[in-house]
Amino acid sequence: MDPWGSVSASSRDRDAEHMRRAIELARKGWGQTAPNPMVGAVVVRDGVVVGEGYHEKFGEEHAEARALAAAGENARGATLYVTLEPCNHYGKTPPCTRAIIAAGVKRVVAAIADPNPVAAGGRDFLALYGVDLDIGAEAESAAELNAPFLHALRSDRPFITLKLALSAEGAVADAAGKQKWLSGAESRAEVHRLRAGADAIAVGAGTVVSDDPELTVRGQVVPRLLPARVVFDRKGRIPLSSKLVRTARDIPTIVVTAKGSSQASRLRQLGVTVIEAADTRGAVESLYRAGIQHLFVEGGASLARDLLGAGLVDRLVIFQTNVPLGPGAVKPFETLADLDIERVVSESRFGDDVMTVYALKSK
C-alpha cells in the first residue's frame, strides 16, 4: 500500500527533502534523549522553512513544540514534518497533538508511526480536528536512527551493536592473543561518540585482563547519563583490582557470570552488580530487565563469536584497518560471508580506516 496515497511525485520529493532535514536535526539529540527516541521537526509554509526544532534532552520539550514555537504565527496553515508520529499522551510534557492543533497546522508528515502504545494515537486524534497526517517519508532512515528504541518495544533483550576494529587479516589480536591499537585517532573519536548513544558498554573478561579498560565516554558528546560498564565473565577472571571494579561505586558496573560464581559475593561488596546466567541469551535478557535497551559491545573475539553464534547482534560496526597482525592472528569470524548480513547501513572513512555498519538478521 502506498503510504502517501494520492500525493504527487513532486510533493513526495519535497516531503522527502524536508524529512531529511528533520532527521538531521534529530541526530543532534544523540546521547541525550534515552530512553525516549531522537526526534526532529521542521515547519514549512508556502515552501519556506519557518521553524525547526529537535528533542534536546529527556524530559524537556519535544521536537514539535520547539519547531512550532520557532515558527510562531507562521505555523498557521503550514506543514509540519516530524521523524516520529506526534505523541498523544501526557507524560513529562503535554501531548504534541494538542500543540499542533493550537498552532493551526494544516498538514503533518511523519516518517514512521509511533509503536509505543502509551504515546500512539496521534494520527487518529489529529484527524478529528481536520489535520491530515501522512506517514512514510524517509521511513527507513528514521527507523534506523532510533533502531534501539523501536527494538525495545518488541523484544525481551537489548538492541546489540558489536564494534570490532579488524587488522588487515580481519583479526582482533595476534597469534598469542595479545591485542594492540589497530584503528587511528579519528576512529577512536568516533567510537566514543558511538558509546555516548548506548545504555551500556560491554567487553569480555579477556579484554579486562589484558587492557584494564575504563569503558567511559571521552569526547565531544557528553551523554546525559553515563553508560553502564558490562563485563561478560563466565569463568570469574575479572581482577578485583581492575579499574572497572575500583570505580564501580561511581559508574554502574555489571559483571555477567555463570551461576554459582565464587567471585559474586566479593564483587557485590565492592559495588558491582552481578548477574548470574546460564547462557548468553539469558545474560542479555537479564541486562534488558535491568533497564539496558542498547548494549554496545567492543569484544574481544570470544564474546563476539558467542553473540554472533547466538544470533544476538543487530548491528555490526567494523573499523577495517591496514595494520597487520601476522600469521595465526585471532579472528572473531572467518569472512563476512559467514555472517547473516541483511544490508549495509552505512560506510564512512575515518583517517586511514573504513567504518562499515551492517544490519544482521538477529533472533
Side-chain angles (χ1 to χ4, degrees), residues 205 232-237 256-259 261 280 302-303 306:
F232 286 82
D233 183 22
R234 81 180 91 187
K235 296 181 180 179
R237 298 172 60 201
V256 182
T257 189
K259 292 185 177 181
S261 168
T280 305
S302 178
L303 177 57
D306 284 348

Side-chain angles (χ1 to χ4, degrees), residues 134-166:
D134 295 318
I135 297 176
E138 296 295 301
E140 184 174 303
S141 296
E144 183 62 34
L145 177 69
N146 284 305
F149 167 78
L150 298 172
H151 180 272
L153 293 169
R154 62 176 186 268
S155 181
D156 59 355
R157 65 164 179 85
F159 184 89
I160 297 178
T161 298
L162 172 62
K163 186 277 295 181
L164 297 170
L166 299 183

